[in-house]
Every structure is written in C-alpha cells, then in structure tokens.
Amino acid sequence: MDECGSRIRRRVSVRKRNRPSLGTIFATPTAAELKPSNEEETEEEKAGSRRRKTVGVQPLENNDSEEDMFGDYDSFSENSFLAQVVDLEQKYMQLPENRKHDTDLATEDLCSESLKHNKVSITTVDSFTELKMGEHTKNQSGHEDVSIELGADLLYELPSSQVLYFGNVQNSSNDFGDQSTKERDCNSASLKTVNEELPNNSVEQPQQINASSHVRTSSDVNRRKSLKDHLKSAMTGNAKAQTPMFSRTKQLKETLLSEEINVAKKTIESSSDDLGPFYSLPSKVRDLYVQFKGIEKLYEWQHTCLTLNSVQERKNLIYSLPTSGGKTLVAEILMLQELLCRRKDVLMILPYVAIVQEKISGLSSFGIELGFFVEEYAGSKGKFPPIKRREKKSLYIATIEKGHGLVNSLIETGRISSLGLVVVDELHMIGEGSRGAILEMTLAKLLYTSKTTQIIGMSATLNNVEDLQEFLQAEYYTSQFRPVELKEYLKINDSICEVDSKAENGMTFSRLLNYKYSDTLKKMDPDHLVALVTEVIPNYSCLVFCPTKKNCENVAEMICTFLSKEYMKHKEKEKQEVIKNLKNISSGNLCPVLKRTIPLGVAYHHSGLTSDERKLLEEAYSTGVLCLLTCTSTLAAGVNLPARRVILRAPYVAKEFLKRNQYKQMIGRAGRAGIDSVGESILILQEKDKQQVLDLISRPLENCYSHLVQESTKGIQTLFLSLVGLKIATNLHDIYHFMSGTFFGVQQKILLKEKSLWEITVESLRYLIEKGLLQKDTILTEKGHMQKDALYEFKEEFQYSFHITKLGRASFKGTIDLAYCDILYRDLKKGLEGLVLESLLHLIYLTTPYDMAFQRDPDWMIYFRQFSQLSPAEQNAAALVGVSENYIGKKASGQAIKKKVDKNIVNRLYLSFILYTLLKETNIWNVSEKFNMPRGYVQNLLTAAATFSSCVLHFCEELEEFWVYRALLVELTKKLTYCVKAELIPLMEVTGVLEGRAKQLYNGGYKSLAHLANADPEVLIRTIDHLSRRQAKQIVSSAKMLLHEKAEALQEEVEELLRLPSDFPGIVASPSVKA
C-alpha cells in the first residue's frame, strides 16, 4: 500500500493537468435533467474563479479550515470522481419506475460504453485487490446491473490527502458492495448534509429528485447508504486527521528526477553520443554541484575525459593530472552514473581515515537528495558483508585495508557482481609497502572474480603507467592542466632562482631577497623564513613543510618571535574563538606553543596533535583565520589545504632525502583555484645539497613497484590464504595462474633475480602449511598414483590441492597479520585458563596491537609507578601474561636481571596500561602527561587498538572455543572506538563529529542521532561555537544518511522475518499459494 501511495502522490500533480473531462468518462445527461438555476450558475462561476486563482499556489501547511483541506484540488467539483458517480446515480434515480426495465438496459449500455476502459485495481505491496464500488444483483430480465470499479486513471486523479483512505478500503468495501440499484436513495436530507459539508471551492451539483424515489420502506431507507456520502465522509475525515503534508512542488521535482534517471539509464545503455542534461545524469545533479560545491562548469579536460570512448564503453581507466587539477570530480560523476543509472553499488578506496571522513561528509548530502546510501568503512567502522539493500544502492567509502575486507566478503557471499565500479584514489600507493600489497591484492581479486566491475584509478604522481595498464587492463588518460599556474623557485643563500627546464643547469636567477635582518634575527633565522612568509601573510595563506615534527613547532615559534604585533589585529576575534574552542575540546588544556602562535595567525600541524585539534586548525586555516601552517610531509598526502605560497624548509623528510613524488605532492598544494591567479613554491637548500636538488627537479617521477612478495606475511602469504579460503584458487596450478595476473606477475622479470615466481609460490604455500593455516590434500600424479609427499618442484608432474584450516579461516576473516596469528591464538587460549574480568586490563592486553610494541620502549620509572598502583586483581592479570612487579622494579632501578623475559610482552603490557588509563579517564591530555608521550601518539594507539580489537573479534567468531570472547569484545571495541562517556557515543557515530564537537552538540541540546538529523543548519551555527555553515550542513547530512541507513536495515530485517521462506512446504507443488 505504501508503494502504491507513493506512486499516486508522485503523479497526482502531473496527471491533474490532463484530467479527462466529464464527458469522456460518463455519458452526458440531457439539458432538461441537469439545468441549473441562475443562483446555482453564479455560485458555480464563483467557485470556478476561486479555483483558477489558486492554481500554482503552494500548498498550505497546518491549515485547519475545510476550505483548503485538499489544497487547490477541488475534489468535490464538477470534474471530480465523486461528482461523476453522483451524476450517474442521479440520472438513474430520476427515471420513472414504470419504465424500470428499459431504463436498466439503457443505463447499462450508457455506462458500459464509457466505463469499460476505466476499471482499476488498487495495488498493494504484496497483492492486487480489486475494489468493487457497486456490485449489483441481476434484475428481473436477467441483465446484470452496471458494475462501477475504481480505475487506475481515476485513482491517479485523487489528491494526496485522500490516498490514506484506500489503506482501509478493503475493510469497508463489503458495507456497500452488495447494495443493489433498487436500494439507492437521494433524499433531500442527505443532500442537505452533503452541501453543508462541501468545501467552499467545490461546485454544487444540481439535483432533480423524482417523486417516486421517495416511496421507500423505512427498512430500505436504513439499508441504503449513498456511495457519495460514504466516500466523502471518509475522505473528509482523513483530510482533517493529522496526515503527512506533501509538497506539490517536491512531488513534481521527484517525478522529474525519476523520469530523468530513466532517460539517463536508457541513454547510458545506448551507443548514442547524446549524453543528456549532465553526462548521462539528471539535471538535478548539476544543480546540486552548484548548490553544494559551487561548481558551475567543468574544465575542458574533465569534459574530454568523461566523453572518452573507453569511459562510455565501461573499460578500466587510469588517469593522471597534477595536484589540484580536479581529478576527484570526474570520479564522482562516474560513481553517480553507476549508482543512479546502472543501479549498481560503488566502492571508493582512499588512503587515510581523515580523507574517508571528509569525503563522506561531502557526499552524504548528494546521497540524501539523489536516493543512495553513503557508508563508512574506516577504523573499526563497517559491516562485513555489507547490508544487502532492498532498493537504494550504496556508495562504500573505505580505507585500503577496509576496502580489501569488503571485497573479500562480497566474493565470499557471491555478491561481487553487485559492485559496478571501484575507484582508487592515489593509485601510486600500490608501490608503498604493506598497504600497497593490500591494495594490489584487492584489485587482483576484483579482476579475477568479476568481469563486470569497472576499475578507475587516479593519481598525480605516476611514471611507469604501462605496467599498471597491463595489470588493470586499462586505458590511460593524462593532462598537465592546472587551474592555477605554478611557479617553482629554489632559494640558495640570498638568491632566489626560478626552475627552468630549458636553462643549462635547470634554473635561472630571479631576484635577491631584500629584507633587513638584525644580527639576532640572522642567528635565529639563517634561512630567511621570516622574510619569505611575510611577503604573503596575513592577506594570503602560506604552508611551510618541515623535515620533523619538532622542527614544525620550533619554526612556528621562531617566526612568531619576529612578527610585528600588527599581525595580531588581523581577525583577532576569530583567533580568540579558535583558542577558546581548542580549550573546550581538550578539557581546558591548550598547547603552550599554539597559545603563543595562534594570536599571530600561525600554527603547527603534525601527527602529534589529536584529530580534534588538527580538524579545528584545518578549518581555521581554510577560512583564513590562520594564515600560516608549519607542517610535515603527511599534510601533502592528506586533506586538501592549498596555499598561495608553499615553502620547503629543507629537501629532507626526516633524515631521508626528498623523493620526486613527495616533492611534486608538496608543491602541488600551491595555488588555490578561484582565489589565486598564481601559486609559488620555494625550496630552501644549502650549497652541499645543490647538485642533489638539481637532479631532483629534473628527473622523472619514481617508478611504482609491487611489494607483494617483499611484504611476505602481509602480502603473498595473506593472498594465498585468502585465495584458498574464498575458493578462488585451491590448487597449485590455479594459484600460480592467479599470481601471473597480479601487478607482481607483470613486473616479475624486473623484481625476481634469484628465484622464479613458481619457486616463490611453492615456498609461500609450504610456509602456510607449516603454520597450520592450510592443509595439503593428496597429490595426484599424471600416472594416477596417490602420494602424500612434500611439495615438489616440477609443476608439470604434480597437481596440489589445498583447503583452509579453522585457524587459517579465523586469521583470514580477522585480517590478522600472519606473523602474529599463532601468537594471538596462544594468548587467547592462555587467557581462557584464568581470564580476569574484575577490570578491563586483561582484555585490553589481548587487543593491544602487536606491531606497536616494537615502536617505543617504556619509561621504566613511569612503568613501575603505574604497576605499583594496580589492584590485586590487575596485578594478577599482569602475572598471568608473564610480567612481575619485581622485574619492572629492577629495570627501573637499573639492576641486572638474570631471568629472561619476553621484551615484546613487557612492552605490550605497558601500552595496555596507557589504554586502560585512557578508558578510565577519557582525557588524552592527562594520560599523555602521565606517561610522558605525545597526545597524538596516544590517540593513534587508541585508534589502532580499536581496529585490532575488531579484528580479534572476527578471529574469535570463527573459532568455537573462543565463544566467551565474542560478547566481551563487542563492548570493548565500542569503548576503544569512541573512548568517551556513553551519552556522547550516538553523536560520535556521525562522520566528522569527534569528541570535542560531540560535547558541544550535547550541551546544546542535540543528544541523539535523530536530533542531529532533524536539526536546522542555521540554528546549529547559532547554537554551536565556531561551526561553519559548510560543517553544519555536512553534520546534518551525515546524520540523516546514518539514520536512513539504520531505518532501512531494520525495515529489511522486518521484511526478511515476514517473507515466506522459499523452501516452505508445498509452495512449489501448489500454484495457488501466493508468495
């Protein structure tokens, strides 16, 4: 019924314009029968005039008067269905009784002719119900009386406020379904009631009542019920009730969007060159880009790329442009085509959690307007396999690791074909360590298992594109377009030279730096940073990239030392707001460096800050409150923060010399489209580095190489385990064949010097068998003999078959690094012997990431102090994992220790203390000070622990012996993910809402997801401090999206419960059973 009602509401306004006249539906009565009085004519003209005036007027909301109960739809006027029914009834009733037989025949012929095309059934969700409006008995001559049934065209004519009436019409149909024509009565009393109840804008119908119609018995009068009265009173009652308000304008827009999507779908499936209103998308998409992003026109390269034959034919595509060239917009349009026109799900893979959240915030508003879901797969968020949606499609935005898990789950459940498009941003990351190996595995599985999934890869820094093309079987498009011209400079001593590829040594002299330096300033700022930044700030923005985190802070402080106090006056009030908000999100704490630099419009930005602090500083920089950021190279690969001038403090990242790819990414931040006419980059270098820098600016980008074999436990071994686990390849031949199609397979001649691909394949499988992750089945020789020998080297002689063990499946499902899977199993098994549940410490230890234990050695004095404060139960938990207070005491006092203790266990327990303290206090600043660690590191540890806890949970779900951990780890994962008081968790589920913002919202009265989803962005701006309009809209959009997702999931669950099982007994044998 809801589905039917929705269709009626969408079409009611459109169909109303083309309503059939009365004459086309009913036979026209004679003039004598329907001649109205002058008074009635005048009244009719007035009513008609009133109706004409209301055409195009917006429907009134919360209107209590009967006059406009149905908006501008005159449901009781001369063109309405009710009036038509009454006319037919009147005509029939006015005929003399002594000519009853002839009249019956005439009426039957008259009505049958005009009604034969207007019979309708009302569609409900599960069945079609035919509603008979007047089922008549046969008359004396054997003729059947006319049966009037609601027709589809008439049903579409009904106003939206009347739609609810039909929800209960089946219950009442029997009340009037069996009444015969002889029992109809049009007495004056009932007519009077009708006319009194009519809205003022309805037209009175002239009634001439034959005297013979009054000759009725009292029982006949009681039994007779006018069809008009019945329908009118029911609809009037429904209209007065609290029914949903439907905007006619909105209905028209929805209808238009639906029609445009259908047209776009047909266009996109055809080979036509006509791409419709907006690249095969509805014109509403173009309007939304103007509304949400201010994009009115595409760049020429974007148009060219979108109209490529390879794109139209859905071939895989790699495209490369300089940073800030507008690559993402092309990907977004292609994703929308897939979601709206081809009705397929889409996966977008991004490198970092912060970028995932930024993209979700930006696209949620599109999802709400265009009717698709935007789902986050980052950190511990994301459901495997994803929820199977009934109608709407999903856009999954994921990190590299979560994207891999998502693809695995879709392959396992046989749903990989539902994924129509995969977009990979920063494709060059396929050549970066273990994360690159995971990305390569994901793409290789997609290519192998789904021939219908299109892959789009984009990057600003690609060189050996041919290898990637061969791997992805993709076309390639490139352009050197930049919306803002970029000028590159080098600074040596006082000279500034412009990079010029035509010059003999790669650069030409530009100017001398003219800035009066005092002796003190020369000592403090030998690189003339103050001179370079003051040329652009505070009116323009500037980024200074520094080699290390500590250098970022020092440079920010040094610059502020020599800036004049005039800089404080620039946006002074806004800067005080930034400081105030930094304190609010940090429970009153404020970094002393930021306290000194922000009043001058300067701040540092690196991983030592909490995500709340970074987000706030990024927003302040984007809005121009801060004009200078000193940052590390990670900012170049992270969120988009362009600047008028970019300065590279030195050609180093930490202690390593700068790579060409890193250099291009950093200088790519120079020049803001739509704001600057030119962007500048200045690399500061010393004489000793001059030759290396000249090589840097002239050489091509670094090649991209596979790390699949180099990262063995996170690469090739994990790949083979998942291939067998997903049954993609279960024998040696198929596994080797799969490897040949990987990026590594394409580059094997370059990468393999000592061993062949076959030997590496065999070795990796042997390792998995030794670890107990795979089991080798019998080996069938060509002669038919069965052997159970070790793996042999000659592929032509033997065919090996493998199956995954329980431990292997648990490791694969939990995405556990294979280097630690057996250690994790042993720790969990040992934990069962004496799991301490008096506190969370023991559980936290089991979910502390193994790889982070190597990164930092404990402060032994702090370790001993924390250990001595443990309760007896907590000390017992420490003893169970193998660390005693005596051992920590000796380490703290520097004594020699004879007893050997596993260093990894000791370090891991120290990290567990940090996490345990953090969960108890929920204040990163306090914990950071207590353990003498950067607050950013503490937060990264928390995020890593939440992710690993989620992995351990999936690991335990596959092993029956660990059933006790399942319920415990669900709650622990939630605690680690949010690490806030329980009341803030619903707000922090919204993408982009971190702890500080959640506190502000909660204190402002927004205490639930529903509150945020129904919030007015303008009211939010006034209620919440330092919240921009863009942020407010994104928060509301994200909350609405999340609420819709949850509602859809619940609805799907309900329908699944109520759905008749496909294996229901007798459902196949008995055709009469309805599904």
Side-chain angles (χ1 to χ4, degrees), residues 286-481:
R286 179 181 55 210
D287 298 339
L288 291 175
Y289 270 108
V290 175
Q291 180 185 341
F292 294 141
K293 298 192 175 186
I295 298 172
E296 296 182 2
K297 190 179 178 183
L298 270 66
Y299 296 130
E300 189 177 334
W301 82 264
Q302 291 171 329
H303 173 77
T304 304
C305 188
L306 286 167
T307 52
L308 289 172
N309 287 335
S310 53
V311 173
Q312 301 302 313
E313 294 165 11
R314 293 193 78 249
K315 291 181 180 176
N316 294 345
L317 175 72
I318 299 169
Y319 63 99
S320 176
L321 278 98
T323 304
S324 305
K327 296 185 295 296
T328 308
L329 180 59
V330 170
E332 286 180 8
I333 290 172
L334 292 173
M335 291 192 297
L336 290 173
Q337 285 179 359
E338 201 69 30
L339 289 161
L340 301 179
C341 303
R342 298 191 181 95
R343 306 295 296 159
K344 294 272 192 175
D345 295 328
V346 174
L347 168 61
M348 186 178 200
I349 298 176
L350 300 169
Y352 305 110
V353 174
I355 305 177
V356 168
Q357 292 177 340
E358 184 182 39
K359 186 58 65 181
I360 283 179
S361 297
L363 290 177
S364 288
S365 47
F366 282 84
I368 290 164
E369 291 289 335
L370 299 171
F372 61 87
F373 290 112
V374 182
E375 300 184 40
E376 179 181 354
Y377 279 77
S380 60
K381 292 184 178 179
K383 188 175 177 62
F384 300 108
I387 296 169
K388 193 174 183 180
R389 305 293 183 184
R390 295 175 306 127
E391 293 177 6
K392 292 183 179 180
K393 297 302 168 187
S394 291
L395 168 59
Y396 310 114
I397 303 183
T399 55
I400 291 170
E401 294 77 9
K402 286 289 182 177
H404 183 226
L406 184 67
V407 168
N408 281 344
S409 67
L410 289 173
I411 293 171
E412 187 175 28
T413 53
R415 289 166 51 195
I416 192 64
S417 59
S418 68
L419 202 59
L421 174 66
V422 174
V423 174
V424 182
D425 195 9
E426 309 296 354
L427 184 61
H428 62 270
M429 288 194 74
I430 200 170
E432 295 184 13
S434 61
R435 303 193 79 210
I438 293 169
L439 181 57
E440 181 180 345
M441 287 189 276
T442 306
L443 296 174
K445 287 175 192 172
L446 280 166
L447 289 165
Y448 196 85
T449 59
S450 176
K451 303 303 178 189
T452 58
T453 303
Q454 185 183 15
I455 296 173
I456 305 284
M458 52 183 171
S459 175
T461 54
L462 283 177
N463 190 34
N464 56 330
V465 181
E466 297 81 9
D467 289 348
L468 282 166
Q469 274 187 270
E470 187 179 344
F471 165 49
L472 295 176
Q473 302 149 37
E475 303 287 320
Y476 179 58
Y477 176 83
T478 187
S479 168
Q480 293 305 310
F481 172 82

Side-chain angles (χ1 to χ4, degrees), residues 565-759:
K565 292 183 178 179
E566 290 296 314
Y567 286 90
M568 288 187 174
K569 295 177 183 176
H570 181 75
K571 298 194 175 183
E572 186 175 4
K573 186 179 176 183
E574 290 90 337
K575 286 186 282 198
Q576 289 305 315
E577 277 292 310
V578 173
I579 291 174
K580 180 184 170 186
N581 282 291
L582 280 170
K583 285 182 178 178
N584 287 341
I585 63 173
S586 304
S587 304
N589 297 290
L590 179 63
C591 169
V593 176
L594 292 176
K595 186 178 180 180
R596 289 191 290 272
T597 62
I598 287 176
L600 290 153
V602 179
Y604 68 87
H605 184 290
H606 58 61
S607 61
L609 294 165
T610 65
S611 48
D612 268 329
E613 290 173 310
R614 285 200 299 272
K615 198 170 184 67
L616 211 155
L617 293 174
E618 287 162 9
E619 187 63 29
Y621 176 81
S622 298
T623 53
V625 177
L626 297 178
C627 53
L628 173 65
L629 286 183
T630 59
C631 50
T632 54
S633 59
T634 51
L635 184 77
V639 290
N640 186 23
L641 292 176
R644 171 67 173 268
R645 177 176 288 181
V646 170
I647 300 170
L648 280 68
R649 172 79 175 72
Y652 292 90
V653 172
K655 294 180 181 179
E656 292 185 13
F657 198 81
L658 203 61
K659 293 178 181 176
R660 175 72 173 169
N661 289 355
Q662 293 170 323
Y663 172 71
K664 292 294 283 184
Q665 276 196 322
M666 289 182 194
I667 67 171
R669 296 296 179 203
R672 297 166 300 170
I675 301 173
D676 299 325
S677 56
V678 68
E680 302 171 335
S681 74
I682 301 174
L683 170 57
I684 300 171
L685 63 138
Q686 309 302 321
E687 282 292 343
K688 65 182 178 67
D689 297 322
K690 185 176 178 180
Q691 192 53 50
Q692 273 184 292
V693 168
L694 290 175
D695 291 342
L696 170 74
I697 60 173
S698 60
R699 68 170 175 253
L701 295 163
E702 286 83 10
N703 284 339
C704 193
Y705 294 114
S706 169
H707 278 69
L708 197 59
V709 173
Q710 194 175 332
E711 299 286 338
S712 55
T713 58
K714 288 186 178 178
I716 191 168
Q717 290 159 10
T718 297
L719 173 61
F720 288 175
L721 185 66
S722 64
L723 289 180
V724 176
L726 294 169
K727 299 180 180 176
I728 296 172
T730 56
N731 59 63
L732 192 55
H733 177 268
D734 289 349
I735 292 170
Y736 178 73
H737 177 66
F738 183 96
M739 275 300 294
S740 302
T742 61
F743 189 40
F744 180 83
V746 170
Q747 296 182 325
Q748 58 179 304
K749 291 180 180 177
I750 305 168
L751 299 175
L752 293 177
K753 303 296 181 186
E754 298 173 359
K755 296 178 182 177
S756 68
L757 180 58
W758 175 260
E759 289 173 315

